[in-house]
Amino acid sequence: MNDTSPQAGSTAGPTACVLVIGNEVLSGRTKDANINYLAEELTKLGIPLVECRVIRDVEAEIIEAVNACRAKYTYVFTTGGIGSTHDDITAKSVAAAFGLDFGTHPEAERILLAHYGDKANTARMRMAMTPAGAHLIDNPVSKAPGFRVENVYVMAGVPVIARAMFDGIKGTLKGGRIMVVQTVSTIGISEGMIGEELRVLQDHHASVDIGSYPFLKFGGFGTNLVVRGADKAQVEAACADIRAMIKAAGGTPLDGETEGEELK
Amino acid sequence: MNDTSPQAGSTAGPTACVLVIGNEVLSGRTKDANINYLAEELTKLGIPLVECRVIRDVEAEIIEAVNACRAKYTYVFTTGGIGSTHDDITAKSVAAAFGLDFGTHPEAERILLAHYGDKANTARMRMAMTPAGAHLIDNPVSKAPGFRVENVYVMAGVPVIARAMFDGIKGTLKGGRIMVVQTVSTIGISEGMIGEELRVLQDHHASVDIGSYPFLKFGGFGTNLVVRGADKAQVEAACADIRAMIKAAGGTPLDGETEGEELK
């Protein structure tokens, strides 16, 4: 969407950034599943996700990204690198980013000792270490907690755990204006056929963002036109004009998203 | 993996960065599929992918990310925002990042006129616009080309087109040392049970990177231990010690990756 829209340029409401920390995503071994989940959840809360970064398990790189992003966004969510092995260096790196001591968190220690009992060992108890003064994030799946320092939320990389952690904290986040989203689609009309008309329409409806997403269906192109805005009446007015534009181009407007093939 | 490994700290070989440009990924509407594909392909070429960023269709943000990353990495690959509609602002933004004029590329114009014939229109012909002096990237799927300026490769966001574009250029990239990767896995031994032994083992085999990835199978935890290094003999030596470590912990070492449940 364009850079003149109120949403894109707005700095009034809360914003979010996701840092995926893990060599395994960058090597292609693991497909990240957390970005999409957090994107959907944050959108529902009215907290636009403005940036994601995928970075390596390298202390200097974690420090740089955490410090750049925590200064820039209301919320930073990290995933990955808080397990029990030598390659889990996120917690220590976040402590360094904040210039805080790194040591055993008494409540985390209690949780892990209660969970592991006589199976507690050095590796597992490393998961009780946080930056000094960190607030724990509950892990109902495998107990070892995440934590928060100021506006940085440090969560596990394993998707089922990351989701459970986010579900536990999302009620504490200060949400923003929730966008109204409506989609008009059409089959047989490609975005190139209506690009100029759509540009005029976007200029006319400057209070909404119109995104154009092509797909393939029945061997031809189709287009999903997604209208996003804070005001329902303005979103609906733009959708009405989009339907008329599609008809004028010889197509049939369909309410809602059309699932395409190949281009997804 | 840790920050003392030769691969993680190395600046000797080529490096890569991927910039995914698109509000639709950040809103959660679209699941990115390009990062994983490019990660796998770059790994095969011996070009480590060091960072990915997902950013909005906002000119100032594209300029900032392109300029930060092109100075830092050997190769920058962007995906998204080069279609025919008003929300496609990547090409113009890349021109601005380089301080280059933005105008019609004669060869791109020829390709699009030949493809569209009398269906060429203003919106479609915008896809012939590039930064001045850009080198085109072939698009065998839908013709509208990508382009390269210096070390920045601008590709489509639609995965089938992004892949075709990358396949066309990958032969021109200067590859690096291709890593040898071997995996030893075990079922029933969680990484927490062997974390300290593994740390000692990693310290002993400092020339390789050992990654530990937990999974769930048959209701219990298992672990994939991925060994990555430039030298095959050293990777195999580390794997031999990992097998011995797993046996000492009462487990059975398995050659290769074990597919787990839930934690993928």
Side-chain angles (χ1 to χ4, degrees):
Chain A
M1 301 164 201
N2 61 37
D3 55 350
T4 58
S5 70
Q7 190 195 2
S10 171
T11 51
T15 55
C17 171
V18 170
L19 297 181
V20 174
I21 301 170
N23 292 355
E24 67 279 16
V25 176
L26 292 166
S27 74
R29 180 190 176 278
T30 302
K31 275 188 197 171
D32 167 73
N34 293 321
I35 290 175
N36 186 253
Y37 181 78
L38 293 172
E40 285 185 332
E41 290 293 305
L42 289 163
T43 297
K44 281 183 216 163
L45 295 168
I47 303 172
L49 177 59
V50 175
E51 181 175 354
C52 300
R53 296 189 190 183
V54 187
I55 59 173
R56 300 192 291 188
D57 303 301
V58 174
E59 184 167 315
E61 295 174 20
I62 298 171
I63 292 171
E64 189 192 328
V66 166
N67 282 338
C69 296
R70 74 187 175 97
K72 213 165 166 181
Y73 303 109
T74 315
Y75 299 111
V76 175
F77 302 93
T78 79
T79 67
I82 61 163
S84 58
T85 55
H86 62 278
D87 53 345
D88 291 302
I89 63 164
T90 297
K92 185 168 166 283
S93 304
V94 170
F98 279 94
L100 290 169
D101 287 339
F102 181 60
T104 296
H105 188 295
E107 176 62 8
E109 185 178 40
R110 195 196 60 73
I111 292 167
L112 291 176
L113 286 175
H115 177 60
Y116 287 118
D118 60 8
K119 286 178 183 151
N121 62 20
T122 307
R124 284 170 167 157
M125 295 315 292
R126 280 185 71 238
M127 296 191 288
M129 295 179 77
T130 71
H135 302 267
L136 298 186
I137 298 175
D138 186 40
N139 171 357
V141 178
S142 58
K143 301 304 171 191
F147 62 85
R148 170 178 74 79
V149 180
E150 294 181 16
N151 62 336
V152 178
Y153 295 72
V154 176
M155 309 191 297
V158 172
V160 66
I161 305 176
R163 288 169 193 205
M165 285 182 172
F166 188 80
D167 284 350
I169 57 172
K170 70 183 180 189
T172 69
L173 305 176
K174 189 179 146 40
R177 194 180 260 191
I178 296 166
M179 293 287 131
V180 177
V181 185
Q182 290 189 14
T183 301
V184 178
S185 57
T186 182
I187 300 170
I189 304 280
S190 75
E191 62 177 19
M193 293 164 70
I194 51 173
E196 275 310 292
E197 293 79 355
L198 194 61
R199 174 191 303 275
V200 172
L201 205 154
Q202 168 74 80
D203 287 345
H204 184 64
H205 294 275
S207 70
V208 303
D209 267 330
I210 306 174
S212 172
Y213 307 107
F215 59 84
L216 272 181
K217 200 172 181 83
F218 310 136
F221 279 101
T223 310
N224 280 306
L225 295 164
V226 180
V227 182
R228 199 178 285 267
D231 184 88
K232 195 178 175 197
Q234 291 175 348
V235 169
E236 285 179 347
C239 287
D241 282 356
I242 287 173
R243 286 187 205 95
M245 175 192 71
I246 290 169
K247 282 184 193 160
T252 304
L254 305 165
D255 283 341
E257 189 101 354
T258 296
E259 285 275 323
E261 298 151 10
E262 286 195 51
L263 304 192
K264 296 293 283 187
Chain B
M1 301 163 201
N2 62 37
D3 55 350
T4 57
S5 71
Q7 188 195 4
S10 171
T11 51
T15 56
C17 171
V18 170
L19 297 180
V20 174
I21 300 170
N23 292 356
E24 68 278 17
V25 176
L26 292 166
S27 74
R29 180 191 177 276
T30 302
K31 275 187 197 174
D32 167 73
N34 293 321
I35 290 175
N36 185 252
Y37 181 78
L38 292 171
E40 284 185 333
E41 290 294 305
L42 289 163
T43 297
K44 281 184 214 161
L45 295 168
I47 302 173
L49 177 57
V50 175
E51 181 176 354
C52 300
R53 296 189 190 184
V54 186
I55 58 173
R56 300 192 291 189
D57 304 300
V58 174
E59 183 166 314
E61 295 175 20
I62 298 172
I63 292 170
E64 188 192 329
V66 166
N67 282 340
C69 296
R70 74 187 175 94
K72 213 164 165 182
Y73 304 110
T74 316
Y75 299 111
V76 175
F77 302 93
T78 79
T79 66
I82 61 165
S84 57
T85 55
H86 62 277
D87 52 345
D88 293 301
I89 64 164
T90 297
K92 185 168 165 284
S93 304
V94 170
F98 280 94
L100 291 168
D101 287 339
F102 181 60
T104 296
H105 188 295
E107 176 63 8
E109 184 178 41
R110 196 196 58 74
I111 291 167
L112 290 175
L113 286 174
H115 177 60
Y116 287 117
D118 59 10
K119 286 177 182 150
N121 61 21
T122 306
R124 284 169 165 158
M125 295 314 291
R126 280 186 72 238
M127 296 191 288
M129 295 179 77
T130 70
H135 301 267
L136 298 186
I137 297 176
D138 185 41
N139 172 358
V141 178
S142 59
K143 299 305 169 192
F147 62 85
R148 171 177 74 79
V149 180
E150 295 182 14
N151 61 336
V152 178
Y153 295 73
V154 176
M155 310 192 294
V158 172
V160 65
I161 305 176
R163 289 170 193 205
M165 286 183 172
F166 188 80
D167 283 351
I169 58 173
K170 69 183 180 188
T172 69
L173 305 176
K174 188 178 147 37
R177 194 180 262 190
I178 296 166
M179 293 288 131
V180 177
V181 184
Q182 289 188 16
T183 301
V184 179
S185 57
T186 182
I187 300 171
I189 303 279
S190 74
E191 61 177 18
M193 293 164 69
I194 50 173
E196 275 308 294
E197 293 79 354
L198 195 61
R199 174 192 302 276
V200 172
L201 205 154
Q202 168 72 80
D203 286 345
H204 184 65
H205 293 275
S207 71
V208 304
D209 267 330
I210 306 173
S212 172
Y213 306 108
F215 59 83
L216 273 181
K217 201 172 180 85
F218 310 136
F221 279 101
T223 311
N224 280 306
L225 295 163
V226 180
V227 182
R228 198 178 286 268
D231 184 86
K232 196 178 175 197
Q234 291 174 347
V235 169
E236 286 178 346
C239 287
D241 282 356
I242 287 173
R243 286 187 205 96
M245 176 191 70
I246 290 170
K247 282 184 194 159
T252 304
L254 305 164
D255 283 342
E257 190 102 356
T258 295
E259 285 274 324
E261 298 151 8
E262 286 195 51
L263 304 192
K264 298 293 284 188

